[in-house]
Amino acid sequence: MDIHTEITRNAYAKINLTLDILGVEADGYHRLRSVMQTISLHDVITVRRGKPGIRLICSDKEIPSDSRNLAYRAAESFCAVTGIMPEFEITLDKQIPHQAGLGGGSSDAASVLAAFNIMHDEPLTKRVLCNIGAGIGSDVPFFIYGGTVSVGGRGEHIEILPPIPVCHLVIVKPKFGISTAWAYRRLDEIRDDSIARAPDILITNSMIEYLNAGDWDRLPALISNDLEQPSIEKHPVIAEIKRQMVNLGSKGALMCGSGSAVFGIFGSESEAVNASSELNEYGDVYTAYTIHPDTETDSELI
Ligand code: C5P
């Protein structure tokens, strides 16, 4: 088999350690500041040359396998920008729950962009991949880099932060999901302000300061998410899951992105595993840990 015929990659999920929503723009999109972190929970993407066109085969039949799927759109965009003929088959083994705030669809899209780029001897820089990704979804630029990253703008401004030490996590995905568009819209209604928030008081800035100083112990106390309030008002069980996680020994618990999943930070893998067995009544439960994809052997050329 030709060296560039097939590539398999892990597409990792993310959590937002902070998420400050600054204000809303004329087109309805929001400016934000966030510290984002890749975690070990992942989908697996395989890209191979195939018949003319783009064919996406997804293990989860509830997820569309046409241009509504961000991985499909990533393949289309890569071909449009590079002029490469679309002749690919993509298989997507889904593990990351959707409508969870874990960035699964965006991570799949970023993995497709990265895999196509490797397959074609890297004609595009990471910066260009980010620009393409920003047109597909706000979280895609983050996933082009991964690790511990400070994000700004609508998600397209990326600054790599020092990698945090391994944090052990429990993630609970309730039976219901939350639409990202709804979460942002509802926040606007609740806030009832068009006044942009002053960037100097953002929790994200304090988090970045502590992470740059290597002050890891402060991390669990500083996690925060502006999108929590609207979601908790509609689904109070999110607050209950957070409380339960703290009762079970979590050092800090927070809703993931726009929800509905919740993550808790635990002191060790065994503490996380013990807590996870007590949370099943709330939905699907996962244990995971923070990772830095560059140090993982996540990319494979066959
Ligand atoms: O870009 P993405 O597909 O993740 O966005 C989904 C929805 O979330 C958008 O249609 C928009 O309503 C909202 N959103 C926003 N501001 C952002 C990111 C997302 O209002 N920065």
Side-chain angles (χ1 to χ4, degrees):
M1 191 183 287
D2 176 51
I3 191 167
H4 289 317
T5 300
E6 182 172 310
I7 294 180
T8 297
R9 283 181 75 92
N10 291 345
Y12 295 101
K14 59 85 180 162
I15 52 174
N16 298 74
L17 297 175
T18 63
L19 181 53
D20 292 306
I21 312 297
L22 277 67
V24 59
E25 311 218 311
D27 63 358
Y29 265 83
H30 294 71
R31 278 170 292 111
L32 52 85
R33 295 291 315 280
S34 179
V35 174
M36 297 174 72
Q37 173 64 51
T38 323
I39 64 171
S40 56
L41 178 64
H42 63 271
D43 296 338
V44 180
I45 290 249
T46 298
V47 171
R48 60 178 73 83
R49 288 189 204 283
K51 297 181 188 137
I54 293 163
R55 184 159 171 256
L56 177 64
I57 303 154
C58 186
S59 62
D60 182 341
K61 298 301 167 216
E62 280 182 28
I63 294 175
S65 52
D66 54 24
S67 63
R68 287 169 293 170
N69 191 307
L70 300 188
Y72 189 102
R73 292 230 284 278
E76 277 185 327
S77 299
F78 185 90
C79 293
V81 169
T82 56
I84 287 163
M85 285 289 287
E87 295 176 328
F88 299 99
E89 184 180 274
I90 303 164
T91 50
L92 179 48
D93 181 6
K94 287 298 292 179
Q95 300 298 327
I96 306 171
H98 57 277
Q99 288 215 313
L102 290 162
S106 301
S107 184
D108 296 341
S111 278
V112 165
L113 291 175
F116 273 37
N117 204 37
I118 292 168
M119 195 176 236
H120 297 94
D121 287 333
E122 310 209 36
L124 305 180
T125 60
K126 278 196 170 179
R127 176 51 42 204
V128 174
L129 292 177
C130 269
N131 290 342
I132 299 172
I136 298 168
S138 311
D139 289 339
V140 181
F142 159 75
F143 283 113
I144 296 294
Y145 288 92
T148 312
V149 174
S150 154
V151 172
R154 299 169 171 211
E156 75 280 17
H157 297 156
I158 300 288
E159 193 189 322
I160 312 294
L161 296 173
I164 62 169
V166 174
C167 289
H168 293 281
L169 308 169
V170 175
I171 294 163
V172 175
K173 164 63 179 54
K175 299 258 180 293
F176 59 88
I178 292 178
S179 138
T180 306
W182 175 86
Y184 277 96
R185 232 182 10 252
R186 187 70 195 126
L187 179 71
D188 290 341
E189 288 165 11
I190 289 173
R191 271 191 177 164
D192 191 26
D193 69 3
S194 51
I195 305 156
R197 295 172 68 201
D200 54 338
I201 56 155
L202 300 179
I203 294 171
T204 298
N205 293 348
S206 309
M207 179 66 93
I208 292 171
E209 214 174 283
Y210 291 130
L211 296 186
N212 276 328
D215 202 353
W216 317 120
D217 292 345
R218 305 290 287 268
L219 192 154
L222 268 184
I223 56 175
S224 97
N225 180 350
D226 278 352
L227 291 178
E228 250 188 7
Q229 193 195 347
S231 296
I232 286 177
E233 278 178 16
K234 187 171 182 196
H235 304 286
V237 71
I238 291 172
E240 194 183 321
I241 296 169
K242 288 180 64 180
R243 274 194 301 275
Q244 276 300 350
M245 284 189 170
V246 172
N247 290 342
L248 291 165
S250 165
K251 297 195 255 176
L254 191 72
M255 190 178 77
C256 302
S258 56
S260 60
V262 175
F263 72 91
I265 301 175
F266 288 83
S268 67
E269 187 180 359
S270 60
E271 283 177 48
V273 170
N274 288 341
S276 68
S277 62
E278 303 288 327
L279 292 160
N280 292 311
E281 68 183 282
Y282 295 109
D284 294 326
V285 184
Y286 307 82
T287 52
Y289 51 92
T290 56
I291 58 156
H292 297 277
D294 284 348
T295 61
E296 302 280 317
T297 49
D298 67 329
S299 180
E300 189 184 326
L301 287 178
I302 299 171

